[in-house]
Amino acid sequence: PDVALSARIERVVAQAIAERRLVGTVVLVSRDGKLVHHQAAGLADREAGRPMREDAIFRFASVTKPIVSAAAMKLVEEGKLRLDDPVTRFLPDFRPALPDRTQPAITVRQLLTHTSGLSYRFFEPSGSAYHALDVSDGMDQPGLSLDENLRRLGQAPLGFVPGTKWGYSLGLDVLGGMLEAVSGERLPALVQRLITGPLGMKDTGFAVADPARLAVAYAD
């Protein structure tokens, strides 16, 4: 019964908050397309004592990746982009090299599957090219343009030959730059037109729609 389900979930959430494993949360459960449980619990801002509410806005961080990937696949569906297109077809200046200075092709498929040879700065040791070039991992330099970050990233050496290994990376940022070049639109507008707009995700974007509803991000 749904009543029993809600009671069990509420106990688990209350325990997690009491044990300080969560500051606050919003929980929605759907069964067979019907919403059977929903609740907001805890705090959206611990320091200010602001309670969580069901319409709170949360930072997605890397959950932007599947959203941008969906936009890319929409352009593939429309025939404007192919999975085996090289990055240089649309971003001719993005040519990161291997340590031996060769410049292998990187494809859309490799960007989507994290097999491009790119990395993140937080994975790289202090003093690496990523640090020297001040490559942004996404949320550390507000206001930095995508174009500028791709310029920096393109100067960092690849960690391996594209397609030979898996490595979580900024590849989806590169894909975002490709999508802009393919469509002639800025990435936020493209994602809104193709994905979040049709799905009614009115609060989802690269900028906060309503700062008063933004939940503070806490480290686990």
Side-chain angles (χ1 to χ4, degrees):
D2 293 346
V3 173
L5 173 71
S6 292
R8 291 200 305 274
I9 294 172
E10 288 168 0
R11 283 197 300 271
V12 170
V13 170
Q15 182 177 350
I17 291 173
E19 294 174 354
R20 302 187 72 180
R21 292 186 288 117
L22 286 177
V23 175
T25 186
V26 176
V27 181
L28 302 175
V29 179
S30 177
R31 176 187 289 153
D32 299 325
K34 179 184 177 183
L35 187 63
V36 295
H37 175 77
H38 58 97
Q39 71 173 118
L43 300 172
D45 185 332
R46 180 176 57 199
E47 288 68 34
R50 177 162 54 90
M52 187 63 74
R53 45 193 273 188
E54 288 192 15
D55 65 348
I57 297 173
F58 294 86
R59 292 168 175 83
F60 269 178
S62 282
V63 180
T64 55
K65 288 180 172 64
I67 296 174
V68 171
S69 296
M73 296 307 293
K74 182 63 176 174
L75 293 184
V76 170
E77 184 180 70
E78 293 175 353
K80 298 175 182 176
L81 186 68
R82 296 176 300 180
L83 292 178
D84 293 316
D85 277 340
V87 172
T88 51
R89 179 182 175 192
F90 300 102
L91 300 177
D93 295 330
F94 189 81
R95 297 176 180 271
L98 292 163
D100 66 4
R101 298 189 178 181
T102 58
Q103 296 179 326
I106 299 173
T107 67
V108 172
R109 188 188 305 273
Q110 290 161 351
L111 295 176
L112 285 165
T113 57
H114 294 285
T115 58
S116 65
L118 298 169
S119 184
Y120 270 108
R121 187 173 67 176
F122 61 77
F123 285 149
E124 301 300 308
S126 178
S128 73
Y130 277 72
H131 290 267
L133 292 164
D134 199 20
V135 174
S136 172
D137 287 333
M139 294 191 289
D140 57 309
Q141 298 182 50
L144 181 69
S145 71
L146 177 60
D147 293 341
E148 171 59 20
N149 203 43
L150 296 190
R151 186 191 67 79
R152 299 177 188 181
L153 179 62
Q155 299 177 66
L158 294 171
F160 52 84
V161 176
T164 62
K165 295 182 181 180
W166 186 90
Y168 196 61
S169 77
L170 287 161
L172 269 294
D173 294 56
V174 179
L175 183 64
M178 290 186 69
L179 298 186
E180 289 192 341
V182 172
S183 67
E185 297 177 73
R186 300 304 293 182
L187 186 60
L190 179 69
V191 167
Q192 195 281 329
R193 179 173 66 81
L194 294 180
I195 308 299
T196 58
L199 291 176
M201 299 166 68
K202 65 183 188 315
D203 289 327
T204 302
F206 290 98
V208 182
D210 183 357
R213 292 189 284 130
L214 180 65
V216 175
Y218 294 101
D220 187 344

